[in-house]
């Protein structure tokens, strides 16, 4: 039986959706690959990126709950560190919103499923992001069923996002609009993530 609520899952979906919309290395890679190669050739790569990102959610779920049971004081420490990290991410996103999108990484890992997995696993920052978000939304102690529901939700959101992104960015006319919308997307995401970080730090 689940101890987490539908409202908590909805907040988790909303927070995760806001975070992954802001352009990062994986978003840039799949977008520009879709521009060049088309939807069918890029979809396996996009699904690999989604799977790789969701693996960080597993690490956060398994590591944090065990640690909190053994050392309860670590909850407050992670709450403060996680909130500080979210505020820092929000500041960097706000600061760089006017910047143009960089080119994808020069060493491409290939357009395979596993290429996408490796790309997202090469960046450990999502582990701390997932940890901070999980701490801010869900109880400190989660059952196995809770963890499964949270992971399934994270995987679904990641899969839906990368599938939609690869499909949409394969349409040439959307490329220009995507670049034009970067400033607004980054500023809105920065504001929401910053508020989440502050609420996590100030929670008693």
């Amino acid at each position: 039986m689940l101890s987490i609520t539908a409202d908590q899952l909805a907040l988790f979906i909303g927070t995760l959706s806001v975070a992954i919309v802001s352009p990062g290395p994986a978003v840039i890679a799949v977008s520009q690959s879709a521009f060049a190669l088309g939807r069918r050739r890029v979809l396996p790569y996009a699904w690999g990126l989604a799977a790789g990102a969701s693996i960080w959610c597993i690490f956060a779920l398994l590591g944090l709950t065990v640690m909190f049971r053994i050392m309860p004081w670590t909850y407050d420490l992670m709450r403060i560190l996680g909130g500080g990290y979210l505020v820092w991410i929000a500041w960097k996103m706000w600061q760089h919103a006017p910047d143009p999108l960089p080119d994808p990484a020069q060493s491409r890992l290939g357009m395979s499923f596993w290429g996408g997995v490796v790309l997202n696993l090469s960046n450990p920052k999502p582990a701390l992001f997932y940890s901070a978000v999980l701490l801010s939304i869900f109880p400190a102690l989660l059952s196995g069923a809770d963890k499964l529901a949270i992971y399934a939700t994270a995987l679904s959101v990641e899969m839906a996002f990368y599938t939609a992104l690869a499909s949409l960015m394969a349409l040439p006319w959307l490329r220009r609009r995507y670049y034009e919308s970067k400033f607004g997307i980054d500023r809105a995401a920065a504001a929401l993530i910053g508020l989440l970080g502050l609420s996590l730090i100030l929670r008693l």
Side-chain angles (χ1 to χ4, degrees):
M1 183 176 179
L2 296 179
S3 63
I4 57 177
T5 66
D7 288 342
Q8 288 172 329
L9 284 176
L11 180 58
F12 178 56
I13 292 171
T15 304
L16 181 56
S17 299
V18 167
I20 62 180
V21 161
S22 181
V27 170
I28 295 167
V30 75
S31 297
Q32 299 223 354
S33 297
F35 294 149
L37 302 175
R39 178 177 177 272
R40 288 188 178 181
R41 290 184 63 187
V42 173
L43 273 180
Y45 183 63
W47 294 334
L49 288 167
S54 72
I55 289 173
W56 288 118
C57 181
I58 295 177
F59 291 155
L61 284 167
L62 296 181
L64 286 176
T65 53
V66 172
M67 184 172 65
F68 292 154
R69 287 192 183 99
I70 299 173
M71 299 178 291
W73 60 269
T74 59
Y75 178 81
D76 288 333
L77 178 62
M78 286 297 298
R79 176 174 59 80
I80 294 170
L81 290 176
Y85 175 75
L86 289 179
V87 171
W88 180 78
I89 287 293
W91 168 246
K92 297 297 286 185
M93 289 170 59
W94 186 278
Q95 191 177 34
H96 293 288
D99 297 348
L101 286 171
D103 292 331
Q106 296 192 357
S107 78
R108 291 179 176 267
L109 297 171
M111 294 298 104
S112 68
F113 176 87
W114 292 111
V117 171
V118 170
L119 177 61
N120 255 342
L121 288 181
S122 69
N123 177 19
K125 288 183 179 180
L128 186 53
F129 178 82
Y130 266 114
S131 297
V133 170
L134 293 175
L135 279 172
S136 68
I137 296 175
F138 299 107
L141 299 179
L142 298 168
S143 67
D146 291 332
K147 294 176 187 177
L148 183 59
I150 292 170
Y151 173 71
T153 301
L155 180 62
S156 298
V157 172
E158 298 279 3
M159 282 286 187
F161 172 75
Y162 281 105
T163 299
L165 184 63
S167 300
L168 289 174
M169 292 306 172
L171 302 175
W173 64 272
L174 279 178
R175 183 177 187 176
R176 183 179 67 256
R177 295 193 178 185
Y178 178 75
Y179 275 69
E180 291 172 351
S181 300
K182 178 185 181 296
F183 179 84
I185 290 172
D186 280 7
R187 284 287 167 93
L192 292 173
I193 291 174
L195 287 173
L196 179 60
L198 288 174
S199 69
L200 182 56
I201 293 171
L202 298 175
R203 178 184 294 175
L204 300 178

